[in-house]
Amino acid sequence: MEDKIYLTKNLNKTIFVLIIPVIIELLLETMIGYVNVSMLGRHGKNYLAAAEIANNLINTCLILANAFSLGGTVIITKYIGAEKSDKRNQAIAQTISIGLIFSLLFTLIYYLFSTNFLILMGAKDTSEATILSYSKVYISVMTFSIPVLMFRQMFVGILRGMGKTKVPMYLSALNIVLNIIFNFVLIYDKVSIFHIDINTLGLMIKGAALATFFSRSICLGLLILYFIKVSKFNIKLADFVFKKDIILGIFSVGIPTALEMMIFRGGMLYYLSMVTSLGPTETAAHSVANAAESISYTPGSAFNVVIVTLVGQFLGAKNYEMAKFCIKKIDRFAMIFMGSMGLCFFVFPQLFVGIFTDEPEVIELSSKVLRIEALAQISFARYNVYSGLMRTIGKSKHIFIVTTSGVWLIRIVTTFVLIKYTSLGLIGAWIAMCVDIIYRSLLITLLANIFTKKIFQLSKKRSFFHKLKISFFDR
């Protein structure tokens, strides 16, 4: 795929060439989590609990990395479309510089205060469990993986902006293979291959952390090598010096997106606390239904990535007609894909929830709530598409307002009312979730249409006066 994907002659083909690797990459990233849980879980629930608490802490850095990576993607796509290679190189270099600063800052903070954070998140040692001790071992290794994690996200954002979505996909596939190999060698004390027992290191939870660190580091090294040897960008040392217009552009997307993600995460934790208060069966059903719906949500997020890449380049090239056409195409594809998944969830919910549990009571309840969620699939597709569009046109602040109001005023309040004042229980919580998704979808679609209409109208006026000026001087 060329950097200049805005020159495409076949938009349908270009969309699929971009989106399929992103879908596979996101699914592989999800699978890595499942692999680590299954392999570490063989040694007991305390190890799992410790790793889960520590990973939630590390994921805060990932939120920040994703936010500023997205900011870099938006800026880079526009400079590629405008054919400003010098500005593109500066945007790439300064995205990397931001990653370096934040990664070093978070590494220092976590190194000094990780134990305090773990205790704050509920890790503690008892007579039966040593969760805090295990968490401290895990976080002591993972703290030094923060630069690796943040740099990877920054580089992935840069590649997406250039339309090179296959490279992150290949590296995610390599990452999962390496992670499994390192897990076997570092977690277990003995591995059997073709009925031959091989002694391994048996480092338990420390081995799991080291396996993750090593696999990520190797993939990051290959990613950097790709940039140096294959992409051959003419990036100079001076490009790493911050330029006001580029930094403001990255921050205008990154800061509101980071705040949005953190507030959304806080809302989800509070929402989960209300769900868990319903009891173990409801909590299990909620987890199973969530896992089932992620089958569509993870690929659905790929549409958000692709609209940023494509529309960003079209707008940078001032090809407004293709930008409008691209928005309609991706919106339609997203609705067809997620709408089809919604139909499957509604008609065959047991087929999906049965993958994750065999308990009849949990299957029955999770099937009911998955049917409810199926009704919001098309709305979530539109939210993915138009929130990506809003970030591309520099309206991240509006997404922050929509998301915050949707989660905290719609979902949380509706869940509280339906759980406290009705007998709906988990069904009420999932109705509230759907109301939130539909609300955010409608509002973000309305705002995106208003703002893009203004941009396209302004572009027509500029085009008209530009042609008039040329016509006048040609006389």
Side-chain angles (χ1 to χ4, degrees):
M1 176 66 68
E2 298 289 334
D3 288 357
K4 299 178 181 180
I5 54 177
Y6 59 89
L7 298 176
T8 180
K9 299 289 174 63
N10 188 334
L11 187 57
N12 286 345
K13 181 181 176 182
T14 301
I15 290 171
F16 282 107
V17 167
L18 286 172
I19 203 165
I20 290 171
V22 178
I23 290 173
I24 295 171
E25 179 208 344
L26 293 174
L27 287 172
L28 287 170
E29 288 298 311
T30 303
M31 282 176 62
I32 289 172
Y34 290 144
V35 166
N36 286 337
V37 166
S38 64
M39 296 184 78
L40 189 60
R42 294 174 185 272
H43 290 285
K45 62 183 180 182
N46 291 337
Y47 287 115
L48 278 181
E52 179 67 18
I53 291 169
N55 278 327
N56 273 323
L57 197 54
I58 295 294
N59 285 342
T60 305
C61 301
L62 188 58
I63 288 172
L64 199 66
N66 278 328
F68 287 102
S69 169
L70 187 56
T73 303
V74 170
I75 299 302
I76 290 163
T77 56
K78 289 179 180 177
Y79 286 138
I80 290 173
E83 298 190 354
K84 296 180 179 179
S85 57
D86 290 343
K87 283 287 190 181
R88 178 204 62 187
N89 290 346
Q90 288 173 7
I92 290 171
Q94 287 167 54
T95 300
I96 295 168
S97 296
I98 290 170
L100 176 63
I101 291 169
F102 278 114
S103 63
L104 293 176
L105 179 64
F106 271 83
T107 300
L108 180 62
I109 291 170
Y110 278 34
Y111 179 77
L112 295 173
F113 305 108
S114 60
T115 301
N116 305 77
F117 292 143
L118 291 170
I119 293 170
L120 191 65
M121 294 182 69
K124 59 183 179 180
D125 288 341
T126 66
S127 58
E128 298 177 355
T130 54
I131 293 173
L132 178 59
S133 302
Y134 292 153
S135 295
K136 285 165 69 176
V137 170
Y138 192 86
I139 202 76
S140 66
V141 175
M142 292 303 291
T143 293
F144 294 100
S145 77
I146 289 172
V148 176
L149 186 66
M150 295 193 79
F151 267 111
R152 181 194 178 278
Q153 289 308 117
M154 292 298 180
F155 278 114
V156 167
I158 292 166
L159 286 167
R160 286 172 176 170
M162 297 186 299
K164 297 181 182 293
T165 55
K166 288 182 181 178
V167 179
M169 177 190 70
Y170 293 140
L171 287 175
S172 291
L174 177 62
N175 188 19
I176 197 168
V177 172
L178 290 174
N179 199 254
I180 290 170
I181 293 170
F182 285 132
N183 275 344
F184 274 120
V185 174
L186 296 170
I187 295 176
Y188 304 122
D189 53 9
K190 188 178 290 185
V191 177
S192 180
I193 302 176
F194 300 115
H195 304 292
I196 301 171
D197 289 337
I198 300 173
N199 291 325
T200 46
L201 295 177
L203 297 176
M204 302 293 188
I205 194 164
K206 187 175 183 179
L210 285 169
T212 302
F213 175 65
F214 290 151
S215 59
R216 283 177 177 170
S217 298
I218 291 169
C219 289
L220 176 63
L222 292 172
L223 199 53
I224 293 170
L225 190 65
Y226 173 84
F227 268 86
I228 295 170
K229 296 293 185 182
V230 180
S231 294
K232 296 179 181 177
F233 289 116
N234 187 25
I235 296 176
K236 304 167 186 173
L237 194 61
D239 292 334
F240 289 90
V241 178
F242 289 139
K243 301 289 191 299
K244 185 178 178 181
D245 58 334
I246 294 174
I247 290 300
L248 287 178
I250 294 172
F251 276 28
S252 69
V253 176
I255 291 174
T257 303
L259 289 172
E260 173 208 340
M261 289 177 176
M262 287 181 179
I263 289 174
F264 180 81
R265 188 175 177 82
M268 290 304 95
L269 289 172
Y270 191 75
Y271 174 73
L272 182 60
S273 70
M274 289 193 285
V275 169
T276 54
S277 69
L278 295 170
T281 301
E282 287 80 0
T283 304
H286 176 78
S287 299
V288 167
N290 257 334
E293 69 169 347
S294 69
I295 295 169
S296 70
Y297 275 14
T298 301
S301 300
F303 290 102
N304 185 284
V305 172
V306 171
I307 199 164
V308 170
T309 301
L310 270 172
V311 175
Q313 289 204 20
F314 285 133
L315 291 178
K318 293 182 169 54
N319 191 341
Y320 299 105
E321 287 303 314
M322 279 298 284
K324 284 195 284 187
F325 189 47
C326 181
I327 293 164
K328 290 178 181 177
K329 281 271 185 187
I330 295 176
D331 183 34
R332 190 177 302 128
F333 286 144
M335 286 196 293
I336 291 170
F337 174 81
M338 295 192 73
S340 300
M341 289 302 300
L343 182 62
C344 292
F345 288 159
F346 192 84
V347 179
F348 310 109
Q350 294 89 351
L351 185 66
F352 294 94
V353 300
I355 298 170
F356 304 98
T357 184
D358 56 3
E359 295 185 24
E361 195 175 0
V362 174
I363 288 175
E364 183 183 358
L365 184 54
S366 56
S367 296
K368 286 179 181 178
V369 296
L370 190 60
R371 275 202 172 105
I372 294 167
E373 193 278 336
L375 303 175
Q377 282 281 309
I378 289 177
S379 293
F380 196 72
R382 304 209 84 185
Y383 178 78
N384 270 321
V385 170
Y386 285 103
S387 62
L389 176 60
M390 289 283 281
R391 289 190 175 95
T392 308
I393 61 176
K395 303 297 179 183
S396 294
K397 291 178 183 177
H398 296 79
I399 306 173
F400 167 76
I401 294 168
V402 171
T403 301
T404 302
S405 62
V407 172
W408 284 96
L409 296 180
I410 304 297
R411 184 180 299 205
I412 299 297
V413 172
T414 307
T415 300
F416 176 79
V417 170
L418 292 178
I419 287 178
K420 188 173 179 63
Y421 297 105
T422 73
S423 59
L424 290 171
L426 185 64
I427 290 172
W430 277 65
I431 289 172
M433 179 199 294
C434 290
V435 172
D436 164 37
I437 292 171
I438 293 167
Y439 160 81
R440 282 189 282 142
S441 170
L442 291 173
L443 190 53
I444 210 75
T445 303
L446 176 65
L447 289 172
N449 282 318
I450 290 170
F451 288 124
T452 51
K453 189 176 181 181
K454 287 180 180 178
I455 291 170
F456 295 143
Q457 284 177 343
L458 186 62
S459 69
K460 283 183 180 178
K461 287 179 182 178
R462 285 175 179 168
S463 177
F464 171 76
F465 284 116
H466 180 67
K467 288 177 182 176
L468 190 66
K469 182 179 176 182
I470 292 172
S471 175
F472 177 80
F473 285 107
D474 280 347
R475 287 178 183 178

